[in-house]
Amino acid sequence: MYVVATPLGNLQDISIRAQAVLSEVGAIAAEDTRHSQRLLDALGIRSRLFPLHEHNEQAAVGQVIRMLEAGQHVALISDAGTPAISDPGARAVARVREAGFPVVPVPGPCAAVAALSASGFVDDGFRFVGFLPAKQAARRARIEELRAQEVPLVFYESPHRIAESVEDLAAVLESSRDIVIAREITKIYEQIARMPLGEAPAWLASDPNRCRGEFVLIVSGAPAVEGLPPDAERTLALLLEELPVKSAARLAADITGAPRKLLYARALELKGS
């Protein structure tokens, strides 16, 4: 089974290899067959489409496996970008691999990576989160869980929840953090803006067009703090009585939310004193 990345919007982003694979396979499993048919028609590809989406994934993968057992090749695509990244397909990939068939990636567009490449963040690494919960209480709780992450956080968001999600990010996280709001990547109305998180809700509200399209949000990691809070110091000291430095720092970070790097440095100081 081939996992094929397709354009986010601009058809010229389809790779030569992706076109060849989609033309040659026996069938293509697509998130939305009507949407994908328009793509195939534009590319002149006549391969058969069948649906594989979040509501039928378990059943549809059975069809995929039967086709593979019959010696056919199958491609998996989503509506846009790379399948199985906050899109249907991950369960299908797992089942196909468990059945003993190879899964071959055909790399290409990915909204998260495209937005990161234009964000200007220079940190080592990032944390891909995907979509936040739909309900506000759960969404804020999830953001709180991510507060101590020291690398940029990458989210996907839809137009009907973008304003609420940005408001919750600004309410839970430090307003001094930077946020990149990237929408409609590779499309006609592509927009990539970077600003302090505290200004983002007003920026979105100032123009209704800024809430249209599909979004990638990138929020800078937890800001550096001077020293450790008293509760983090106490927790670290207690853990160091029973655990090695690295384990104590990691567990103290999980318990208190204090930055792991700072805890590790302090643990080394305490052990050396």
Side-chain angles (χ1 to χ4, degrees), residues 161-174:
R161 278 205 303 269
I162 183 63
E164 291 84 356
S165 289
V166 169
E167 286 175 2
D168 288 341
L169 286 165
V172 176
L173 302 177
E174 297 84 355

Side-chain angles (χ1 to χ4, degrees), residues 4 22 25 70 104 111 145 223 232 237 250-251 256:
V4 183
L22 294 176
V25 294
V104 180
E145 290 174 1
R250 182 180 68 251
L251 189 54
T256 67

Side-chain angles (χ1 to χ4, degrees), residues 11-215:
L11 289 183
Q12 293 183 24
D13 289 336
I14 189 77
S15 71
I16 295 173
R17 184 184 177 203
Q19 289 189 74
V21 168
L22 294 176
S23 297
E24 295 166 5
V25 294
I28 300 170
E31 182 181 0
D32 182 334
T33 54
R34 291 172 299 179
H35 176 90
S36 295
Q37 189 62 62
R38 292 194 291 271
L39 170 67
L40 299 188
D41 289 344
L43 298 172
I45 294 172
R46 299 288 176 257
S47 300
R48 180 173 69 87
L49 283 171
F50 67 95
L52 190 155
H53 47 72
E54 61 178 330
H55 302 296
N56 80 336
E57 191 166 358
Q58 292 291 357
V61 72
Q63 181 179 352
V64 172
I65 290 173
R66 289 191 293 274
M67 295 177 67
L68 295 173
E69 289 173 339
Q72 296 187 62
H73 291 173
V74 179
L76 172 68
I77 62 175
S78 61
D79 286 350
T82 302
I85 308 298
S86 282
D87 268 329
R91 293 184 182 88
V93 168
R95 286 273 305 280
V96 168
R97 293 182 64 85
E98 288 169 3
F101 295 100
V103 176
V104 180
V106 180
C110 174
V113 173
L116 277 164
S117 71
S119 70
F121 287 115
V122 296
D123 308 74
D124 292 329
F126 60 92
R127 171 74 181 272
F128 178 73
V129 181
F131 288 95
L132 287 165
K135 300 293 186 180
Q136 185 183 64
R139 187 164 58 237
R140 290 199 174 198
R142 180 64 175 133
I143 296 169
E144 183 63 43
E145 290 174 1
L146 298 163
R147 173 192 283 275
Q149 293 287 316
E150 299 174 7
V151 294
L153 304 170
V154 183
F155 306 93
Y156 285 162
E157 197 47 272
S158 58
H160 63 277
R161 278 205 303 269
I162 183 63
E164 291 84 356
S165 289
V166 169
E167 286 175 2
D168 288 341
L169 286 165
V172 176
L173 302 177
E174 297 84 355
S175 61
S176 60
R177 296 196 193 202
D178 271 5
I179 183 172
V180 166
I181 301 176
R183 70 181 188 93
E184 295 293 87
I185 295 176
T186 79
K187 301 176 185 177
I188 293 175
Y189 298 108
E190 176 182 272
Q191 187 174 30
I192 302 174
R194 179 169 173 167
M195 69 200 74
L197 179 56
E199 298 176 8
W203 183 84
L204 282 173
S206 67
D207 183 348
N209 290 320
R210 292 173 178 170
C211 289
R212 294 178 178 174
E214 299 298 325
F215 291 83

Side-chain angles (χ1 to χ4, degrees), residues 148-150 222-225 227-229 232 249 252-253 256-265:
Q149 293 287 316
E150 299 174 7
V225 295
L228 289 169
T256 67
R260 187 183 299 182
K261 290 180 181 178
L262 205 58
L263 285 161
Y264 182 72

Side-chain angles (χ1 to χ4, degrees), residues 236 239-240 244-254 260 263-265 267:
L236 181 62
L239 291 171
L240 282 171
V245 166
K246 189 174 182 179
S247 298
R250 182 180 68 251
L251 189 54
D254 291 341
R260 187 183 299 182
L263 285 161
Y264 182 72

